[in-house]
Amino acid sequence: MEVKDQNEHNLEKKMLPPTTGTFQSREELLKHVRDFALTQGYMVSIRDSAKDRYVTVACDRGGVYRKRLKNGENMRQRKNASRLTNCPFEVVGKKDDDVWTLTVKNGEHNHEPSKDTSDHPSCRRFTEEEVLIIRDMSAAGKRPRQILKALRQRNPNLVSDSRNVYNVKAKIRRGSLSGKKAEASCSSSMETMNTNGVAATVTQTQPMVHNSFAMSQAYVESKEVTETKALVAELCQHFYPLGWLSGTGGSITIRVHDGSIPRQHQLIVMSPSGVQKERMVADGMYVLSSDGFIMSTPSLKLYPYQPPKCTDCAPLFMKVYEICNAGAVIHSHGLEACLVTMINPFSKEFRITHMEMIKGIQGHGYHDELVVPIIENTAHEGELTESLTEAMRAYPKTTAILVRNHGVYIWGDSWISTKTQAECYHYLFDAAIKLYQLGLDWSSPNHGPLRSINGLWGCSGNSSRGPKVGTFGLDYMIEPSQRCLLLTIEGTVTPMSFVTDILFPYAHDNVQKHLAMTYDSEETQHDIDLLRSQIQEDLEQGVAGAVPIPPDYVGKELVIASLAANVEAMISTDRKVTSLKQLEGHIWRAGFQSNELVGVVFEDVPEALEKWHASGTKVYIFANGSREVQQLLFANSNYGDLRKYLCGFFDTTVGNKQVARSYFEILQTVGVDRPADMLFVTDSFQEAVAARAAGLEVIISIRPGNGPLPQNHGFRTIASLLEI
């Protein structure tokens, strides 16, 4: 660049315009203007431009505040004065013969120099890469201060604060930064000055910076990738003696964890095919990009070793990463995973309940029923992609898929979670096989004798004959039970007064205390994030009782007070929203654990549950309260622990109880093919209508304190569960 001479200025507070001159590119000119402005205590922004002809740069305090809201009692009022002063400063860059020339149109300012660069919104503006990181970390449940910490690790000169992160999160939540717009920062036509002083024109087709970095050869050879390759080799050596990777079969793949790169763009390390897994070493791994391109191949070895080959499972692994956002995937050829699919060659699911190791499966507890879909094998593993994809979409909560006569695919959020779950799944498969050999039913809570239905061995009831101990053949096959009960809690199992007079007041009175005592815990922060989202939606819809939640930086006392006000308003109107029910569940859990609460059930409930259990009838619970609270209630009831009679629990995460689709979801999860084979018992007419619309048989429970029913409602009613 060529710069003209400039007269010396001795006025201490006078802000000088940038030196004029010629530049080889528009970016060079803009960087010169910005860097110079920062030394003088002001900041600039692009006012107007035609990318290949000219660009007009003005002081970022130019212009006047334009009030966009009308006056009114309910209209949000501006709390702070505008920083705009209609500053006249303006410089112009024009392109002529491939050279950009800078001239000063008005070099004067009408305001004092800034003392801190953070005073300028343009300095606090995030780049498109940073916006993507904020979006991805928010989706992963990270709090604004965690996001800001990660951003500052990447850019120590970042002057943005948590308020700016909150603003971006709010725009994403409102949809203004969702989809392709988020990937392109704020708008396909917006032009900003990034932290390097270069104007970044954000377009929907612009490559993402962080993805380009992750695709670079330098990153492929980085410490993070090298450590992940060594980890995969170590796990291969560990799993080989277990029989999961024998005969060169099976495979392991792990995402390269790097907090500076969004999860969906992280590289993937994958063990090769056709090699002795017990002899795997770090440089024997493939490295793939997030969209499946091979970035690095294993080193060649001399005879008798075969040339390296990427596993045929690669397309399946990539689908698991894409749909489930997994952190690692294991493909095991373990014998137990193969044999368990042969017990009933017609079954599309493997089911097991009331086994300790179920607790090691993500989202499951001892009393839950674990359901693993089974897909049919093909001659070539790559041909499984379609059926594997269908199974993942049909069973969104599963973390494993069995392949008949073949093995199992298992995944988790991280390699640790995946390894733990793989060990638990194989234990459960082996347990089911051994129980089967003993003639016992692994899919029922009491693991009683298998029963015979039309010559096939089922999973409930009394058996006229049992399989020979120690034998294992297709003469004895399991058919899922067709007798299921689905019960609500309020007005069916517990008195309505227990909920309205004990549980709700307890949550109402203890919400502020609970939040204050557990505020910094990860669980409570997750509860707060859910509440923030719900309250924001309530505010936009004008829900009565909703008040804004201040950001974290104002202090947790104010945050807790406003959260408590919203929660108390929700409780008073009996809102059926997941964010409230989850927080209530955590408050009630503390009450049950401290013995301040005891679950109250009707006196006929224990006897009815025991009767159904003895007959092999499976009983499930569907309630507005969280699954955890449901289990706490039955575990701490006035008749002792009743969970041994129950096969599973459903809450509003499957859907609203007054919507038919929720019952379809439960039918699919439980594995009942004919909706009429499930009997639903409820106190609510609206819930009864929804369940009937889904095809379930329905009975309405008439208990003291229950609400009135419409005349000619058309449903059978009972006053006691013993009538069923």
Side-chain angles (χ1 to χ4, degrees), residues 87-120:
C87 179
F89 175 88
E90 191 174 277
V91 296
V92 177
K94 291 185 178 180
K95 185 179 181 181
D96 187 21
D97 294 332
D98 294 327
V99 175
W100 286 81
T101 302
L102 176 67
T103 58
V104 177
K105 188 173 181 180
N106 190 326
E108 299 297 321
H109 297 266
N110 62 2
H111 55 86
E112 294 294 317
S114 298
K115 297 179 180 179
D116 191 339
T117 56
S118 63
D119 293 340
H120 300 276

Side-chain angles (χ1 to χ4, degrees), residues 263 324-328 362 411-415 417-418 421:
R263 188 180 181 91
C324 303
N325 195 27
Q362 181 178 308
W411 59 90
D413 295 334
S414 66
W415 73 266
S417 170
T418 305
Q421 292 189 99

Side-chain angles (χ1 to χ4, degrees), residues 59-65 82-89 109-112:
C59 177
D60 71 345
R61 301 187 68 174
V64 295
Y65 172 65
S82 171
R83 62 184 302 277
L84 299 180
T85 63
N86 202 21
C87 179
F89 175 88
H109 297 266
N110 62 2
H111 55 86
E112 294 294 317

Side-chain angles (χ1 to χ4, degrees), residues 128-262:
E128 61 268 27
E129 177 186 359
E130 291 167 340
V131 170
L132 283 167
I133 292 172
I134 293 172
R135 183 197 64 181
D136 295 333
M137 293 187 70
S138 298
K142 301 299 182 183
R143 299 190 291 274
R145 61 175 177 267
Q146 294 174 306
I147 297 173
L148 189 63
K149 181 179 179 180
L151 293 173
R152 284 177 175 166
Q153 287 176 343
R154 292 172 52 82
N155 179 14
N157 297 321
L158 187 71
V159 296
S160 303
D161 56 25
S162 58
R163 289 173 295 180
N164 305 113
V165 177
Y166 271 113
N167 290 338
V168 174
K169 283 168 65 73
K171 289 181 180 179
I172 293 172
R173 187 166 54 246
R174 290 195 299 268
S176 60
L177 280 177
S178 62
K180 291 184 178 179
K181 287 186 179 181
E183 294 180 359
S185 186
C186 297
S187 163
S188 59
S189 61
M190 186 178 76
E191 190 167 66
T192 64
M193 302 286 280
N194 66 20
T195 54
N196 293 321
V198 180
T201 302
V202 185
T203 64
Q204 292 183 355
T205 59
Q206 182 178 353
M208 289 171 287
V209 177
H210 56 272
N211 196 27
S212 300
F213 174 64
M215 293 277 285
S216 69
Q217 188 60 35
Y219 188 67
V220 171
E221 299 171 356
S222 67
K223 175 184 176 183
E224 290 82 359
V225 175
T226 301
E227 290 177 347
T228 307
K229 290 163 72 174
L231 176 60
V232 173
E234 179 185 347
L235 291 176
C236 285
Q237 295 169 12
H238 174 75
F239 292 143
Y240 176 80
L242 303 177
W244 301 357
L245 305 177
S246 56
T248 76
S251 189
I252 301 174
T253 171
I254 300 177
R255 281 190 195 268
V256 178
H257 176 69
D258 185 340
S260 65
I261 296 178

Side-chain angles (χ1 to χ4, degrees), residues 466-522:
K468 297 176 183 178
V469 175
T471 64
F472 186 83
L474 297 182
D475 293 334
Y476 309 104
M477 298 182 294
I478 300 305
E479 180 173 286
S481 170
Q482 299 298 303
R483 296 187 297 171
C484 295
L485 272 168
L486 182 65
L487 308 177
T488 60
I489 292 182
E490 302 173 37
T492 300
V493 173
T494 68
M496 192 68 70
S497 59
F498 172 67
V499 178
T500 58
D501 299 343
I502 297 177
L503 289 184
F504 285 173
Y506 186 87
H508 183 281
D509 296 342
N510 287 274
V511 58
Q512 196 151 351
K513 173 185 173 183
H514 174 80
L515 290 174
M517 291 179 62
T518 64
Y519 185 81
D520 293 321
S521 70
E522 185 174 347

